[in-house]
Structures are given as C-alpha cells and as structure tokens.
Amino acid sequence: MNWHDLGKALKEAVQQIEQHRTTGGHARLNHGQCASLGVMAERLPHNGLVLADEVGMGKTRIATQLIRSVVDAGGRVAVVLPGGLGFQWQRELRGSGLTVDPVVRGILGFMHTFCDVSVEPWDRRNVVLLSHAFSNTRLQKGSDARRWILLPAIVAILRESAGHDAA
C-alpha cells in the first residue's frame, strides 16, 4: 500500500462526506471528525500519529473511516480492541461499508480458519478484529488440547531466531 494513495483516498472520502452533507444528506461523520481525517490525510504519508481524546468524541468513527480508506488504497488492517467493544467496532465498520468477520478472541478462534474451508483465510482478509485478550491464553491442566498445539512451533521459531538448530 502506498501511504500517499491513502492520503488521497482520505481527502476524497472527506470531500464526499462534506458534499453529501451540503446536499442535505445524513453524514456519519461531523465537521470535527472530517477535520481530523483531513489532518490524518496530510500527516500519515510522512509520519504516524496518535488518535486520542475524551470518551464519546467519535474516535471509533474516525478510525473506521481511516480503515476504509486504507482498504480502498489496497492495504490491510488489524484492529486490536478491548474485548467488550467488538460489537461496536463491527457495527461502525459495517456502517462505513466494510465487511467484517467476528472478533478473534483467542487461539481457538484463530485456528478455526485453518480447519474450516468455508472461512476466508487470514491472509485474504482486508480487516481483522482481534481482542486484546487474544494473548491471554492460559495453558493449564484441563485446558482444551488444541491450545497446546502451537507451543512446539513457537519454541522452534524462537530457537531458530536465536541461532540454535531447529532439532
């Protein structure tokens, strides 16, 4: 993905939203949110940025429009979100015209894509929603055996990256 293409896509999205508003249509984003996206369009191609403000100020809608523009520019996005906000993020992403799958909450949900041929593989999805609790995989007595299956692979990868033999 080209970050300059993303900047152009964001500017075009803001222009469309503002034009829709001036013709009396309902716009998902208010003027302040559009202004924030305009700043992002200018700055993202040159450096990153942090989106933060008070609760309820529209960060999710700004972020979903940014995600939409990333996808429109040919990029892919992984969103790590608090576990209780999955439904809100799915609703907002769908409202911006994106197709999203359920939030991946743990290793079993992640592995499901490798077992079910009817599920789109991770590397073909434009947007992946991950719960921040994804890494909270407790391996303990009585745990589902499938939780243990990746442990040998992770150990092998770590050993190899440290310069040890894979054997």
Side-chain angles (χ1 to χ4, degrees), residues 100-115:
V100 293
D101 293 306
V103 177
V104 180
R105 300 187 190 289
I107 193 69
L108 298 179
F110 176 77
M111 290 172 44
H112 178 69
T113 62
F114 300 106
C115 302

Side-chain angles (χ1 to χ4, degrees), residues 27-107:
R28 288 183 44 82
L29 303 176
N30 62 33
H31 292 294
Q33 292 165 328
C34 286
S36 294
L37 285 167
V39 170
M40 289 179 178
E42 294 297 324
R43 295 186 181 168
L44 274 174
H46 306 290
N47 57 345
L49 57 92
V50 174
L51 176 62
D53 62 16
E54 297 293 324
V55 173
M57 300 299 288
K59 293 180 298 296
T60 304
R61 287 204 173 167
I62 293 169
T64 56
Q65 183 59 55
L66 174 61
I67 292 166
R68 170 68 191 264
S69 296
V70 168
V71 170
D72 289 348
R76 298 175 58 221
V77 178
V79 181
V80 180
L81 50 102
L85 297 180
F87 179 77
Q88 175 189 354
W89 274 86
Q90 288 175 309
R91 183 184 67 232
E92 294 295 339
L93 286 163
R94 286 184 187 115
S96 69
L98 291 168
T99 302
V100 293
D101 293 306
V103 177
V104 180
R105 300 187 190 289
I107 193 69

Side-chain angles (χ1 to χ4, degrees), residues 4-20 29 34 37-42 65 68-69 72-73:
H4 292 285
D5 290 345
L6 172 61
K8 288 181 0 186
L10 272 174
K11 288 177 187 176
E12 290 171 10
V14 169
Q15 288 173 348
Q16 289 175 358
I17 292 166
E18 293 292 1
Q19 182 179 7
H20 186 68
L29 303 176
C34 286
L37 285 167
V39 170
M40 289 179 178
E42 294 297 324
Q65 183 59 55
R68 170 68 191 264
S69 296
D72 289 348

Side-chain angles (χ1 to χ4, degrees), residues 8 10 24 27 40 74-75 78 86 99 105 119 124 140 144 154-155 160 166:
K8 288 181 0 186
L10 272 174
M40 289 179 178
T99 302
R105 300 187 190 289
V119 177
R124 294 195 187 138
Q140 56 196 10
D144 187 324
I154 292 170
V155 170
E160 188 174 302

Side-chain angles (χ1 to χ4, degrees), residues 102-116 119 122 125 128-140 143-154 157:
V103 177
V104 180
R105 300 187 190 289
I107 193 69
L108 298 179
F110 176 77
M111 290 172 44
H112 178 69
T113 62
F114 300 106
C115 302
D116 186 347
V119 177
W122 297 108
R125 295 183 191 187
V128 176
L129 301 177
L130 295 168
S131 169
H132 78 302
F134 178 85
S135 64
N136 189 16
T137 301
R138 293 189 179 112
L139 300 176
Q140 56 196 10
S143 291
D144 187 324
R146 292 174 292 176
R147 291 182 182 266
W148 293 87
I149 198 164
L150 291 179
L151 188 56
I154 292 170
I157 290 169

